[in-house]
Amino acid sequence: MDLIRKVFDAGVVGAGGAGFPTHVKLKCKVEYLIVNGAECEPLLETDKYLMRTKSNEVIRAIEEVGRQVEAEQIVLGLKRKYKEEIKQLQEAIQKLNAKIKLYLSDNFYPAGDEQILVYEITKRAIPAGGLPLDVNTLVVNIGTLVNIYDAMEGRPVIDKYVTVIGEVHRPCMLRVPIGISVAECIAAAGGSALRTFAVAMGGPMMGRIIRQDQMEDEVITKTTGALIVLPKDHYIVQRKELPVPHMINQAKTACIQCSMCTDLCPRYLIGHRLRPHRIMRSIGLSESSEEILKEALICCECGICELYACPMVLSPRNMNVYLKQELREKGIRHQKNHETPTAEPMREYRKIPIDRLIARLHLGKYKNTKVEGPFEVATSRVKIPLSQHIGKPAQPIVKVGDQVHKGQVIAEAEAEGIGARSHAGIDGKVVEVSDAIVILSKKNGVIL
Ligand code: SF4
Ligand code: SF4
């Protein structure tokens, strides 16, 4: 069976970001295969853990993907400061006689943004609204490669490594079934000493906030990499929870047009026509310019403008998120510009050092936390969303009352379409089929 079929069968999607179905991504021929090991968000440990402990599997999967896409050059990008990970990967490359180069980057944010990583390695800027393929490149991240390796061995994607850090008794790396609740993950990390807290799911910069009353219902999906437990009144929680009308009022009344948001925007700095200060000004005008507002469509939502750059504590990123939704509802899409962008000459000096970012985010307390584990977590209930990826949701092929076993396909996708199938993460009985499939098991005292 060929690699693409195995990857489809296993339901592999991008393990970080939006979860693009991997079997679709692999249907190309490229000059560069770039492996993203430059974990982007502060405090996350998951990819580092995988590079350290699964270096042979990662290298074997990279070689297989490289053959599939006929890559002329294969480069694994990670941070220079990842000493142990570099050592493990170099040993695996040597042992397997692999033709893979390591690219060592500085410790800045967002080093792991795929467009930034492609630019750092190839010096090719992807056109605004474009894909790495536009510059003859394919980018795959470390978590995805571990899943590709498992797919090569016939194992489907049914579990996930997740960093749980912040206000928990035992910060740790967990290996959990996909579909387990956020509440169970926090309990597995010893619970929180705080009576009221919130969780930044995915990371402090690009993640979303989960409130305490949502934690039983919110689940780990194929793209979740971290849970950062924070006090409910933490700076990040408050910034991300700001209501839209409040943000709009702030943009109208408090933006001083200093342009710091644009000067530090990583997409602007690689040459994209994205100027958040002009978007903020346009919002403030009684007749805003649609041409300017449309620039929001190419924002990658990295959060630098909002959580790092703006001296007035305004929310250009969240305004962009809001505008994107409004524009898409009106059917307005970004018109792809095929011109090659030219990076700003000052770009090199405007990278955001991670330590400064952590201090600005009020996360210094957690910076040197020792992360224990990995600990394997079992559960008696999983809720597996039908849409854990970009594209068409998977179609359920089980019904309420069916007994399913761990690894069984429970929702199907078309092999030629953009979608991914889902598998049961535990043995048990299907008790709900809606936009998610809920499975309960008899284990851990739950009797069906
Ligand atoms: S979130 Fe802000 S800094 Fe990041 S890409 Fe969007 S506009 Fe630029
Ligand atoms: S950094 Fe803040 S105050 Fe300055 S232009 Fe941007 S949104 Fe306005």
Side-chain angles (χ1 to χ4, degrees), residues 213-384:
D213 62 350
Q214 299 171 313
M215 288 180 201
E216 293 289 344
D217 205 44
E218 290 283 348
V219 296
I220 302 299
T221 71
K222 292 179 182 179
T223 61
T224 314
L227 302 173
I228 323 282
V229 179
L230 297 168
K232 201 176 150 213
D233 58 355
H234 189 275
Y235 171 72
I236 292 173
V237 180
Q238 295 205 328
R239 294 297 309 277
K240 285 181 184 272
E241 293 276 80
L242 218 56
V244 171
H246 193 88
M247 282 188 303
I248 295 175
N249 273 339
Q250 280 189 332
K252 285 180 176 169
T253 55
C255 176
I256 55 173
Q257 285 296 290
C258 65
S259 85
M260 285 293 286
C261 48
T262 299
D263 292 344
L264 293 179
C265 169
R267 292 297 168 94
Y268 169 77
L269 289 170
I270 58 166
H272 293 179
R273 199 175 171 79
L274 169 57
R275 296 157 300 175
H277 77 290
R278 295 200 61 184
I279 298 173
M280 293 295 272
R281 184 168 65 189
S282 196
I283 288 164
L285 298 173
S286 50
E287 281 186 29
S288 48
S289 154
E290 191 172 278
E291 271 317 294
I292 300 281
L293 297 183
K294 272 161 64 179
E295 292 184 12
L297 291 169
I298 56 170
C299 166
C300 69
E301 301 172 24
C302 72
I304 284 178
C305 51
E306 179 166 303
L307 293 167
Y308 188 86
C310 182
M312 302 302 288
V313 204
L314 305 184
S315 312
R317 170 200 184 266
N318 275 337
M319 284 312 317
N320 286 350
V321 173
Y322 166 73
L323 288 169
K324 279 193 210 182
Q325 202 180 335
E326 293 271 296
L327 291 165
R328 285 184 187 140
E329 275 167 17
K330 287 187 201 163
I332 299 170
R333 298 271 183 276
H334 177 71
Q335 297 300 317
K336 197 162 151 188
N337 180 350
H338 291 277
E339 279 170 30
T340 306
T342 308
E344 289 291 311
M346 294 302 286
R347 176 180 177 274
E348 209 45 46
Y349 308 101
R350 293 192 184 156
K351 292 174 176 172
I352 312 299
I354 291 283
D355 285 350
R356 296 255 314 269
L357 179 63
I358 287 176
R360 194 71 65 90
L361 294 173
H362 304 245
L363 292 174
K365 181 178 172 191
Y366 314 115
K367 193 172 101 181
N368 297 318
T369 303
K370 188 173 171 333
V371 174
E372 295 177 36
F375 302 115
E376 192 125 356
V377 182
T379 182
S380 57
R381 180 185 186 271
V382 289
K383 177 181 140 191
I384 299 171

Side-chain angles (χ1 to χ4, degrees), residues 4 24-30 68-70 133 137-138:
I4 290 180
V24 181
K25 210 169 168 179
L26 295 183
K27 290 176 187 164
C28 64
K29 304 291 172 224
V30 290
Q68 174 66 41
V69 300
E70 297 177 14
L133 266 186
T137 300
L138 175 71

